[in-house]
Amino acid sequence: MQNNNSKLNTILLITVIILLAIGIWMLAVNDKVSERIESDIETSVVKDVVVKEEEPEVTQSKPVDPTIVFLKGLVSTYPYAEIAECHWADGTQFMLKKDSRIADLNVVYYNEQGAIMGDCLTSYELATYTPSGICEALVGACNEVVYGQAYTQGNPNSYFVDKYNLK
């Protein structure tokens, strides 16, 4: 009986070894197949994707207004400035009061190109100071505040104006 048990154990051992070998072989083949499938999928995805070269978006920028550039430069230099727009002699000028918090500062008149037309005192002794023709002419021509504190007639309260978005 021992002989039959020995043969049966041998057959059983051989069967287990064969099944184990088949299982190991199937795992190895499965890993290779999985890798190949993943590789094929990636390749397929790359092949199926149409690479579309985008043309750069052409945006038309607004032309830069040199007057606005000049006024923004004044505001960046004088953050507490008051700028008024003047209309005199068929042109536009700008009056700059460098600091609206100080009452007796000089005012400077500029043309649209940013050239100084006159540097004028706001408080002066008549005996020692004679204003230039530009200073006298432009005093009444500058009535629209385009940047800084503005007052409405008859109302003592001020409000901030930034007509050209200079800040």
Side-chain angles (χ1 to χ4, degrees):
M1 178 83 124
Q2 232 176 7
N3 197 13
N4 280 342
N5 280 342
S6 176
K7 283 184 177 181
L8 191 59
N9 285 342
T10 306
I11 292 173
L12 188 59
L13 183 63
I14 292 173
T15 307
V16 168
I17 292 173
I18 291 173
L19 288 175
L20 191 59
I22 291 172
I24 292 172
W25 176 78
M26 287 180 69
L27 285 175
V29 169
N30 190 25
D31 284 343
K32 287 181 182 177
V33 169
S34 294
E35 288 174 9
R36 189 174 299 148
I37 289 172
E38 287 175 8
S39 175
D40 288 347
I41 288 172
E42 289 173 3
T43 304
S44 170
V45 169
V46 171
K47 287 179 184 176
D48 291 345
V49 171
V50 176
V51 178
K52 183 178 170 184
E53 289 188 31
E54 294 182 18
E55 294 181 22
E57 187 176 319
V58 178
T59 57
Q60 291 192 356
S61 59
K62 296 178 183 177
V64 177
D65 185 352
T67 302
I68 300 300
V69 172
F70 158 68
L71 292 174
K72 283 185 177 188
L74 287 179
V75 168
S76 69
T77 304
Y78 306 106
Y80 298 106
E82 179 181 304
I83 302 172
E85 196 169 272
C86 316
H87 299 285
W88 176 73
D90 294 333
T92 301
Q93 299 80 28
F94 296 95
M95 178 197 75
L96 168 70
K97 186 174 182 183
K98 295 178 183 176
D99 193 333
S100 63
R101 301 171 299 175
I102 301 172
D104 292 340
L105 276 182
N106 294 10
V107 293
V108 182
Y109 293 99
Y110 295 90
N111 65 13
E112 284 181 294
Q113 290 76 35
I116 294 177
M117 298 174 67
D119 188 351
C120 310
L121 294 173
T122 56
S123 65
Y124 52 86
E125 295 289 328
L126 287 174
T128 59
Y129 174 75
T130 306
S132 69
I134 291 292
C135 294
E136 287 182 330
L138 288 178
V139 167
C142 303
N143 54 14
E144 182 184 2
V145 174
V146 295
Y147 181 84
Q149 295 297 323
Y151 298 89
T152 55
Q153 193 165 352
N155 184 355
N157 298 323
S158 68
Y159 56 95
F160 192 81
V161 176
D162 190 358
K163 179 178 178 182
Y164 297 116
N165 297 318
L166 303 176
K167 195 87 176 188

